Amino acid sequence: MSNTESVLLIGGGGREHAIAQALTVDSRCTLYACAGNRNPGITALTADFESIPATSVDAIVEYATTDPVNADLAIIGPESALEAGVTDALDAAGVYTFGPTAEAARIETDKAFQRQFMQSKSIPGCPEFAVFEETAAACEYIDAAENDLAVKPAGLTGGKGVRVIGDQVTQSEAKSYLRENEYEQIVLEERLVGEEFTVQAFVANGEVRTTPAIQDHKRAYEGDTGPNTGGMGSYSDTTQALPFMNDKEYADAVEILEATVSALPNYKGVLYGQFMLTSDGPRVIEFNARFGDPEAMNTLPILETSLLDIMRAAQHNESLPPLSFSNQATVCKYAVPEGYPTDPQCGTRITVDEESVESAQIYYASVDAREDGLYTTTSRAFAVVGIADSIATAESQAETALSAADDGLRIRHDIGTQSLLQRRIDHMSVIREE
């Protein structure tokens, strides 16, 4: 192996800013990046940046394989690039890419395939489900169901496509939602009741290295109300588990990830399991084939193992290094455009006072740096992450840092607060007793 590596990062969001930071703390990494938007946090860390959409396969390969990049390695942030086959094309061009092929990424990009795969491979934690290609048949199934259902379009929806009957919508509203959108394929599943959490893992050569559990907050508004978003923020604790779960429940989730990798022997990259902790233990809500956003911003800042070493080991068919973490808690909170996610105000010029962030970290997301300043897009603008010896202190850091947010941005202030954590603990206590 050479002493230095030329690494190409694909994607321009907060997740990718966290990946860029994790790579460039290693002096052996020379980082290049391409994305459809110009993320100032990423461009500040790169030797060169090119404006290329994450799904423009040929343009990405050309950039990766010519001067100045000549990439040794690549890493993909967004799921859209995985679905488009960017990994396949880069691998074929001789650039080892830490991310699954388009076929392997179907574990995320095709929810019907995901459930049928789990069923056929006897992966534990799979809910009861049914797959439909006709909206009318799906609506009949909803009418006949005795219990509440989760309604999922089979394809990618940016974290905003699922509707849960009995929580977000009524049966009638669920049917209207399907009729209005006419999805090609629909997955209907039993509604899982409990507390959601995520475990992300580095995977290569049949090995699995798991990271601490994280709880994301999908709902737009405080108190877990409003429509689903791509994620308004998240937190992790000083241990692998979260305050509402025990070590065995965390271990059970890890076993599900390991069983999944055993059934996908050639998988490489990050495998993200989103779980519901129920009275019967962890059940699988879904898998993602890349880092979560915002979960990458909880995991990577406390990862003490070199991300570059993980990628190098995967490339050279070596055992992945054991993961070491700083054993600190993290709280991530996003600032999003007014109206997000249903009617976000796009193209608003914003200012971010980085000096006010103090001891927290800031990650730019869906913003575009132009000559005259920073502008919002239709998604989340930036995140702040507090890192401390307790969730409470990390939450306080994040709140202080949010004074960096300009007018025209909205925040879920309750993420990581003691009152919200206690609600999670109390909720699981009730569920375990049922």
Side-chain angles (χ1 to χ4, degrees), residues 183-195:
Y183 294 112
E184 289 185 10
Q185 208 169 35
I186 301 154
V187 182
L188 300 179
E189 301 177 356
E190 64 172 305
R191 178 189 174 188
L192 301 175
V193 178
E195 283 294 330

Side-chain angles (χ1 to χ4, degrees), residues 418-434:
Q418 184 56 46
S419 59
L420 191 62
L421 292 179
Q422 192 60 51
R423 287 218 308 273
R424 305 289 195 243
I425 294 167
D426 294 344
H427 184 212
M428 277 313 304
S429 295
V430 170
I431 286 173
R432 288 188 179 98
E433 291 170 1
E434 289 178 348

Side-chain angles (χ1 to χ4, degrees), residues 234-317:
S234 46
Y235 68 90
S236 65
D237 209 344
T238 56
T239 61
Q240 288 184 313
L242 291 167
F244 57 81
M245 61 194 292
N246 59 44
D247 289 341
K248 182 184 183 304
E249 290 162 341
Y250 173 85
D252 289 344
V254 170
E255 285 186 9
I256 293 172
L257 288 173
E258 290 173 341
T260 304
V261 172
S262 292
L264 289 169
N266 297 318
Y267 191 96
K268 61 187 172 79
V270 174
L271 182 65
Y272 158 131
Q274 185 180 2
F275 301 96
M276 183 73 80
L277 182 55
T278 71
S279 57
D280 297 323
R283 308 282 297 282
V284 177
I285 297 173
E286 66 177 2
F287 291 112
N288 289 340
R290 36 70 191 182
F291 280 116
D293 187 339
E295 293 94 337
M297 292 175 278
N298 300 92
T299 300
L300 291 173
I302 61 169
L303 175 66
E304 295 180 333
T305 307
S306 164
L307 177 56
L308 181 63
D309 281 348
I310 295 169
M311 292 169 61
R312 279 176 148 184
Q315 178 187 23
H316 294 282
N317 203 27

Side-chain angles (χ1 to χ4, degrees), residues 88-406:
D88 308 65
L90 285 171
D91 280 345
V95 181
Y96 180 89
T97 302
F98 194 66
T101 63
E103 177 61 28
R106 289 180 69 199
I107 193 78
E108 171 177 8
T109 62
D110 184 342
K111 292 183 179 66
F113 168 82
Q114 178 189 110
R115 291 311 191 202
Q116 290 160 347
F117 165 83
M118 290 187 72
Q119 186 179 65
S120 67
K121 301 296 184 180
S122 300
I123 306 295
C126 186
E128 294 182 10
F129 70 95
V131 178
F132 300 89
E133 295 180 356
E134 299 292 338
T135 299
C139 290
E140 289 175 7
Y141 187 92
I142 291 171
D143 283 332
E146 296 181 0
N147 298 308
D148 291 336
L149 301 170
V151 179
K152 298 183 175 184
L156 293 176
T157 57
K160 308 180 189 79
V162 177
R163 300 290 186 273
V164 180
I165 297 171
D167 178 24
Q168 300 164 307
V169 294
T170 63
Q171 276 192 344
S172 177
E173 287 168 340
K175 291 186 291 182
S176 296
Y177 167 64
L178 292 178
R179 290 177 182 131
E180 288 164 6
N181 288 281
E182 295 184 348
Y183 294 112
E184 289 185 10
Q185 208 169 35
I186 301 154
V187 182
L188 300 179
E189 301 177 356
E190 64 172 305
R191 178 189 174 188
L192 301 175
V193 178
E195 283 294 330
E196 293 187 29
F197 69 97
T198 297
V199 178
Q200 300 169 108
F202 296 96
V203 178
N205 311 321
E207 293 188 318
V208 182
R209 298 284 186 268
T210 52
T211 68
I214 297 165
Q215 187 171 53
D216 184 20
H217 298 69
K218 286 285 190 186
R219 303 297 278 272
Y221 309 126
E222 295 188 11
D224 296 318
T225 59
N228 272 0
T229 69
M232 292 296 295
S234 46
Y235 68 90
S236 65
D237 209 344
T238 56
T239 61
Q240 288 184 313
L242 291 167
F244 57 81
M245 61 194 292
N246 59 44
D247 289 341
K248 182 184 183 304
E249 290 162 341
Y250 173 85
D252 289 344
V254 170
E255 285 186 9
I256 293 172
L257 288 173
E258 290 173 341
T260 304
V261 172
S262 292
L264 289 169
N266 297 318
Y267 191 96
K268 61 187 172 79
V270 174
L271 182 65
Y272 158 131
Q274 185 180 2
F275 301 96
M276 183 73 80
L277 182 55
T278 71
S279 57
D280 297 323
R283 308 282 297 282
V284 177
I285 297 173
E286 66 177 2
F287 291 112
N288 289 340
R290 36 70 191 182
F291 280 116
D293 187 339
E295 293 94 337
M297 292 175 278
N298 300 92
T299 300
L300 291 173
I302 61 169
L303 175 66
E304 295 180 333
T305 307
S306 164
L307 177 56
L308 181 63
D309 281 348
I310 295 169
M311 292 169 61
R312 279 176 148 184
Q315 178 187 23
H316 294 282
N317 203 27
E318 298 170 354
S319 182
L320 298 183
L323 301 187
S324 176
F325 293 91
S326 66
N327 299 324
Q328 291 176 292
T330 67
V331 174
C332 172
K333 302 191 186 192
Y334 252 120
V336 304
E338 289 288 355
Y340 176 81
T342 52
D343 188 25
Q345 294 182 9
C346 175
T348 301
R349 184 178 174 182
I350 60 171
T351 57
V352 179
D353 181 10
E354 291 191 21
E355 291 186 6
S356 69
V357 170
E358 296 185 0
S359 57
Q361 299 196 34
I362 186 167
Y363 294 102
Y364 289 99
S366 293
V367 291
D368 194 28
R370 305 175 190 170
E371 288 186 4
D372 62 337
L374 201 59
Y375 287 80
T376 62
T377 68
T378 57
S379 194
R380 299 164 292 178
F382 71 91
V384 296
V385 181
I387 303 170
D389 292 333
S390 69
I391 294 174
T393 305
E395 190 277 329
S396 178
Q397 285 182 2
E399 273 299 304
T400 299
L402 284 169
S403 61
D406 198 7

